[in-house]
Amino acid sequence: MREIHDLSFDIDRFLEDAARAKQQLDVERWREELRPSALRLFAARTRKLPWSRALLKLVVRELYPDDLFAELIGNLDRVPRQRWPQVVALAVALRYSWRKDGLARIVKSLQVRGIDSSPVKQHARRKRTTPRSSHPTRKSRRAK
């Protein structure tokens, strides 16, 4: 009985190894032979592809924006075509802004005017321009 169990285990392992080997060969054939010609054909057929909402959504989805994207842009189905460059730019900015210098690189490469490359400096500058008399903690101190 043990020999039959060992034999069936060996056959199962052999079949699994064969399936894995075939899958690996299929992947290699796809990458080396089929993929380049399929993508050449794709490139030729999409040469005059216009911007579409489907393409916009595909690009945004590939950039994996976080919840802040939806807060800033809203529903992609309602964004007018003239704002699509902003949508893509924001999705890219969200993707690379996890580090302080990431957003600065995006601002610089897109030549977005009126943005200090350092959000920390910009935040500090906004605080400084707040009139002292309107600051709530300062009023309460004077009232005492």
Side-chain angles (χ1 to χ4, degrees):
M1 184 71 165
R2 179 146 174 90
E3 289 179 18
I4 293 173
H5 178 70
D6 289 344
L7 184 59
S8 69
F9 181 73
D10 288 343
I11 291 171
D12 287 345
R13 189 177 339 155
F14 174 77
L15 290 174
E16 287 174 8
D17 290 347
R20 251 187 256 112
K22 183 185 180 323
Q23 188 178 26
Q24 184 61 35
L25 286 173
D26 289 346
V27 167
E28 288 174 11
R29 181 167 183 250
W30 165 252
R31 288 180 182 164
E32 294 172 10
E33 298 173 28
L34 303 174
R35 182 176 178 264
S37 60
L39 287 173
R40 283 187 191 92
L41 180 61
F42 183 84
R45 300 271 167 89
T46 57
R47 188 163 281 139
K48 294 182 180 182
L49 181 73
W51 270 103
S52 65
R53 197 165 301 276
L55 180 58
L56 176 71
K57 287 180 173 183
L58 182 64
V59 169
V60 169
R61 189 170 50 239
E62 285 301 308
L63 293 167
Y64 299 102
D66 57 23
D67 293 339
L68 185 55
F69 179 83
E71 181 184 322
L72 297 171
I73 293 297
N75 185 343
L76 277 179
D77 290 325
R78 295 200 171 122
V79 176
R81 183 179 288 265
Q82 65 268 23
R83 286 192 50 213
W84 290 359
Q86 177 201 21
V87 168
V88 173
L90 180 61
V92 170
L94 285 167
R95 171 82 175 192
Y96 291 99
S97 64
W98 291 104
R99 290 181 39 141
K100 189 167 59 171
D101 60 335
L103 181 58
R105 280 196 307 275
I106 298 300
V107 166
K108 185 177 178 182
S109 67
L110 293 178
Q111 299 177 354
V112 178
R113 305 261 185 247
I115 295 179
D116 186 346
S117 61
S118 171
V120 174
K121 287 180 187 173
Q122 196 174 36
H123 180 71
R125 201 175 319 128
R126 263 185 290 179
K127 276 189 165 183
R128 255 186 272 128
T129 58
T130 305
R132 290 190 185 268
S133 61
S134 68
H135 197 282
T137 56
R138 296 190 195 271
K139 275 186 176 179
S140 62
R141 286 183 190 158
R142 287 182 187 159
K144 287 181 180 178

